[in-house]
Amino acid sequence: VQLQASGGGSVQAGGSLRLSCAASGRTSRAYVKGWFRQVPGKEREFVAAISVSSQNIEYSNGVKGRFAISRDNVKNTVDLQMNSLKPDDTAVYYCAAVPPPHSGSLTQTGTWTFWGQGTQVTVSS
């Protein structure tokens, strides 16, 4: 499975960006999908995850109420709508996928099997 993230860029604080991640392979339509982010010198941190049916969604406390994850199983994509962006949201954002049933918490990087290449998001004050 290959994941290709896009949509990153530079925006001022308070602005919005939408990230998209396209997955290859028919089987990946049935995978749990999510987003992580990483800044230099720090560990990759969980942002959001969405189940295959979109009925179960999880966000980190830092983005809850500002970010929204969604997926399209026909197009095999997962998006992250980011609103009210803050300078602390600056990071490389990675999409990830794991076939169910997964073992472990979705907030942990070790739970995920496939990773995209990352897309830079820069928020200026």
Side-chain angles (χ1 to χ4, degrees), residues 3-115:
L3 302 173
Q4 182 72 38
S6 62
S10 297
V11 66
Q12 288 193 326
S16 299
L17 281 175
R18 188 176 184 89
L19 306 183
S20 186
C21 177
S24 66
R26 293 181 69 178
T27 57
S28 65
R29 298 174 194 271
Y31 288 8
V32 177
K33 296 196 170 87
W35 290 91
F36 281 71
R37 65 188 182 186
Q38 189 171 23
V39 298
K42 292 190 176 181
E43 293 186 355
R44 193 168 296 187
E45 69 169 1
F46 171 76
V47 175
I50 186 168
S51 64
V52 177
S53 67
S54 299
Q55 288 188 331
N56 294 308
I57 290 175
E58 186 174 356
Y59 296 102
S60 69
N61 288 335
V63 307
K64 200 173 296 183
R66 300 188 297 121
F67 290 12
I69 189 171
S70 61
R71 65 187 293 161
D72 185 324
N73 291 339
V74 174
K75 295 180 180 178
N76 203 2
T77 58
V78 57
D79 290 353
L80 186 69
Q81 177 66 41
M82 305 185 295
N83 300 323
S84 302
L85 282 162
K86 305 174 182 179
D88 284 349
D89 295 319
T90 295
V92 177
Y93 283 70
Y94 297 89
C95 55
V98 59
H102 60 81
S103 176
S105 169
L106 290 172
T107 65
Q108 302 301 309
T109 55
T111 300
W112 299 82
T113 306
F114 302 102
W115 293 89

